[in-house]
Amino acid sequence: MTKHKLSHIIFFIGVLAMANASCKKSSLQVGDPNDPTVGANVNTESGLLSLAEGGVYTNGFINGDGWLGDSYFSLPYGYHELMADNVGADASNNQITTVGYPTYYITDDGVKHTNGSPSIGILRGYNVLGGSGNNPLFFQWQNMYALDAACNKILAIAPTIKLGGDATTRLNTIKAWCYWWKGYAYSQIGSMYISGLIQDDPNNVTNAHYLPKDSILDRSNYYLNLAATTLSGITNTGDYSTELSQMIPVASQSGHGGVLTTTMWQHNINTLLARNIICNKLAPYVNGNPSATISKSSTSAMAAADWNQVLTLASNGIQKGDYIFSAHSTNTNTIFSAGGGTVAAMTTGNNISTTFKISVRYIQCFKPADKRLTTDFNQRSTYNNPFYGTPYNITDSLVQSATTPYVIGNAQVGQYEAYIAGSYEENALMLGEANIRLGNITTGLSFVDAVRDYQGAGVTHVSGVVTDLPTAMKELTNESRVSLFGRGLSFYNSRRWGWIYDISSGGGQYGQWVYNANKTYFTNVTVDYNFMDYWDIPADETQLNPPGTGSAPILNPNY
């Protein structure tokens, strides 16, 4: 056993003194959490709650993400949207031009456009020790293990602090908080990387035993279930709410965010448990074929038992009106800036100058009369690029209300809501897909209709009209792509539907749009993305903590 020396663990050192950087509290003066004297620095309930708040939001979603934008929701989420082909980019920063560019695409005229620097080679070429600024593999790993380390420290300190009111309820609320975020962190690692580390030691001591992604997902499920069990034992709602309200930043207590009841929180847990299943197995829908198969993949296909488990979990998942975990920007002490803190904000405005450009292949998923399309987008400027060209811009300054369509992007302070974990839409669409795949097409499409209604799309319902599986899946995949934009799910969906895989393995996308400089469209383009389905482990980890005997592969063996 050796002391972990990696940046994602040491990152936690700086977070304690910055606990109010994303919070509403006064500055908390603490020392190095790897030092045994840290207990003397966090010795009051208010100090512990500041640590619980800042340790989660600063470690998990701010620190280390200043390379492109300024938060987890702009950089790691940005990679997800790029690889799902919802956005494009032309800047060299952090490989955003190359990470989402396909291996080749064939336009309607039969011309094959080949990428001389395919994504897999770029990812591996820049995965070197100390190269984090240009290494896309680094950031999600760094943030989530820093978040995990913060929760380990909070769990160790919490029982030593004298708590007011019903101390047992307050302590269990803090424990549930940590269990939830540890479950979230392991979910993010297990859903993205081929292997990972289970790091539960409060002194941040780890071994070099890398475990396969499925073991990391199992650990996520363990902590999510532990959070649910802990919440089930809480009966004093007053002390529970008092404690929880001080761990959730004020900016996260607006819109769909707020102080969750224990039932709401359990709904959020069930949604994430369902996500862990559905996002980490295959359910290919390639070239209109819901029976497509992928011959070379790092995961297995969904079985009927999996769909039934998703159905059970999501049926008790996030409901309309439930609070969720989300965030808004603020003028000061913000989790992220209004203009640079989310992939949506960095796609909003004039497409010539925005960091990300909205993809016409995303636009083609809307129905022409969808109010989200007609309201949230404009064609005031054109960005020319062989593959990422687009005449569409996300309209800025739209204000969300009960009578307007969902605001897809906004760069104004406080106006855009970043979704950290699950949402009503994600949960409803999982219910929709599970029902469709289990043969309940009308029921499944009713959830697609419900999401469109919820976001104010104003389009005709398809439930009871569409009755065949291929068309039902088209409605489901199109709506998932549209309504979950910018929420860190798009790549997972593209992966499980088979689109990111090499065409020779049964993957790819067909019938896609490409916008040309002469303002015409190709509308039947074949795209071979050929992306790595689960990422290699960052060299900043493996070079400083080489895998020990019996470790799972640290490089995806399928590529």
Side-chain angles (χ1 to χ4, degrees), residues 221-234:
N221 294 339
Y222 167 81
Y223 277 110
L224 291 172
N225 284 312
L226 188 56
T229 300
T230 304
L231 290 168
S232 295
I234 291 175

Side-chain angles (χ1 to χ4, degrees), residues 416-493:
Y416 180 78
E417 186 165 23
Y419 290 77
I420 301 175
S423 65
Y424 162 73
E425 295 99 316
E426 178 190 1
N427 193 80
L429 289 167
M430 288 193 291
L431 284 169
E433 189 168 359
N435 272 288
I436 289 170
R437 286 294 190 172
L438 290 169
N440 308 315
I441 291 177
T442 298
T443 300
L445 288 177
S446 71
F447 288 103
V448 174
D449 290 336
V451 169
R452 288 172 172 162
D453 289 347
Y454 185 76
Q455 291 198 350
V459 296
T460 303
H461 285 189
V462 294
S463 177
V465 178
V466 171
T467 57
D468 64 289
L469 180 57
T471 308
M473 282 302 301
K474 182 177 181 179
E475 294 288 344
L476 183 283
T477 55
N478 280 351
E479 183 54 35
S480 296
R481 197 168 177 180
V482 166
S483 59
L484 300 178
F485 173 77
R487 301 189 186 186
L489 292 167
S490 299
F491 171 68
Y492 301 150
N493 283 338

Side-chain angles (χ1 to χ4, degrees), residues 48 153-163 171 175:
L48 176 64
K153 186 59 62 175
I154 297 160
L155 284 168
I157 295 173
T160 70
I161 304 298
K162 180 177 174 58
L163 304 176
L171 178 60
K175 286 181 176 180

Side-chain angles (χ1 to χ4, degrees), residues 173-295:
T173 303
I174 295 169
K175 286 181 176 180
W177 176 259
C178 294
Y179 298 151
W180 157 259
W181 287 116
K182 281 176 68 68
Y184 171 87
Y186 282 130
S187 174
Q188 293 281 287
I189 294 295
S191 296
M192 197 68 189
Y193 296 92
I194 194 65
S195 60
L197 296 164
I198 289 179
Q199 167 65 340
D200 293 335
D201 190 288
N203 294 314
N204 295 327
V205 174
T206 188
N207 57 40
H209 188 57
Y210 292 80
L211 295 171
K213 59 180 178 58
D214 289 342
S215 296
I216 305 303
L217 290 167
D218 286 345
R219 200 61 176 169
S220 169
N221 294 339
Y222 167 81
Y223 277 110
L224 291 172
N225 284 312
L226 188 56
T229 300
T230 304
L231 290 168
S232 295
I234 291 175
T235 56
N236 187 327
T237 57
D239 278 284
Y240 161 81
S241 298
T242 295
E243 216 73 349
L244 184 58
S245 67
Q246 295 179 77
M247 292 187 288
I248 300 175
V250 169
S252 294
Q253 296 185 38
S254 60
H256 296 94
V259 179
L260 297 79
T261 66
T262 56
T263 299
M264 290 178 182
W265 201 346
Q266 288 168 323
H267 288 167
N268 278 255
I269 289 168
N270 286 331
T271 294
L272 197 50
L273 287 167
R275 178 197 292 187
N276 280 351
I277 299 170
I278 202 171
C279 284
N280 289 287
K281 289 181 179 288
L282 295 177
Y285 173 67
V286 178
N287 198 18
N289 180 13
S291 299
T293 59
I294 303 299
S295 61

Side-chain angles (χ1 to χ4, degrees), residues 48-63:
L48 176 64
L49 294 173
S50 289
L51 174 60
E53 183 184 40
V56 166
Y57 287 90
T58 304
N59 265 28
F61 309 118
I62 302 174
N63 279 345

Side-chain angles (χ1 to χ4, degrees), residues 283-518:
Y285 173 67
V286 178
N287 198 18
N289 180 13
S291 299
T293 59
I294 303 299
S295 61
K296 189 177 181 181
S297 168
S298 304
T299 189
S300 58
M302 291 283 286
D306 297 313
W307 287 118
N308 278 303
Q309 191 174 1
V310 168
L311 198 61
T312 298
L313 288 165
S315 293
N316 197 31
I318 297 170
Q319 311 293 311
K320 286 183 183 179
D322 280 352
Y323 287 136
I324 61 169
F325 291 91
S326 66
H328 288 81
S329 62
T330 58
N331 285 310
T332 59
N333 291 338
T334 189
I335 297 171
F336 57 83
S337 71
T342 64
V343 63
M346 296 176 72
T347 317
T348 296
N350 186 303
N351 58 25
I352 297 173
S353 58
T354 55
T355 300
F356 298 122
K357 330 291 182 179
I358 201 71
S359 169
V360 293
R361 289 162 296 281
Y362 171 76
I363 293 294
Q364 78 177 87
C365 295
F366 287 92
K367 293 182 181 295
D370 193 316
K371 291 180 181 178
R372 295 169 297 183
L373 175 63
T374 58
T375 302
D376 287 353
F377 296 90
N378 66 75
Q379 298 188 55
R380 297 171 191 154
S381 62
T382 298
Y383 169 71
N384 288 316
N385 179 281
F387 186 69
Y388 290 135
T390 179
Y392 287 93
N393 308 264
I394 297 180
T395 303
D396 199 3
S397 303
L398 296 175
V399 178
Q400 190 70 62
S401 76
T403 58
T404 59
Y406 170 67
V407 174
I408 288 175
N410 194 304
Q412 306 306 308
V413 175
Q415 293 301 315
Y416 180 78
E417 186 165 23
Y419 290 77
I420 301 175
S423 65
Y424 162 73
E425 295 99 316
E426 178 190 1
N427 193 80
L429 289 167
M430 288 193 291
L431 284 169
E433 189 168 359
N435 272 288
I436 289 170
R437 286 294 190 172
L438 290 169
N440 308 315
I441 291 177
T442 298
T443 300
L445 288 177
S446 71
F447 288 103
V448 174
D449 290 336
V451 169
R452 288 172 172 162
D453 289 347
Y454 185 76
Q455 291 198 350
V459 296
T460 303
H461 285 189
V462 294
S463 177
V465 178
V466 171
T467 57
D468 64 289
L469 180 57
T471 308
M473 282 302 301
K474 182 177 181 179
E475 294 288 344
L476 183 283
T477 55
N478 280 351
E479 183 54 35
S480 296
R481 197 168 177 180
V482 166
S483 59
L484 300 178
F485 173 77
R487 301 189 186 186
L489 292 167
S490 299
F491 171 68
Y492 301 150
N493 283 338
S494 292
R495 177 179 65 197
R496 65 190 187 82
W497 292 325
W499 302 345
I500 63 113
Y501 291 96
D502 191 10
I503 284 177
S504 67
S505 296
Q509 269 278 59
Y510 297 80
Q512 299 298 288
W513 292 0
V514 165
Y515 183 76
N516 301 307
N518 64 2

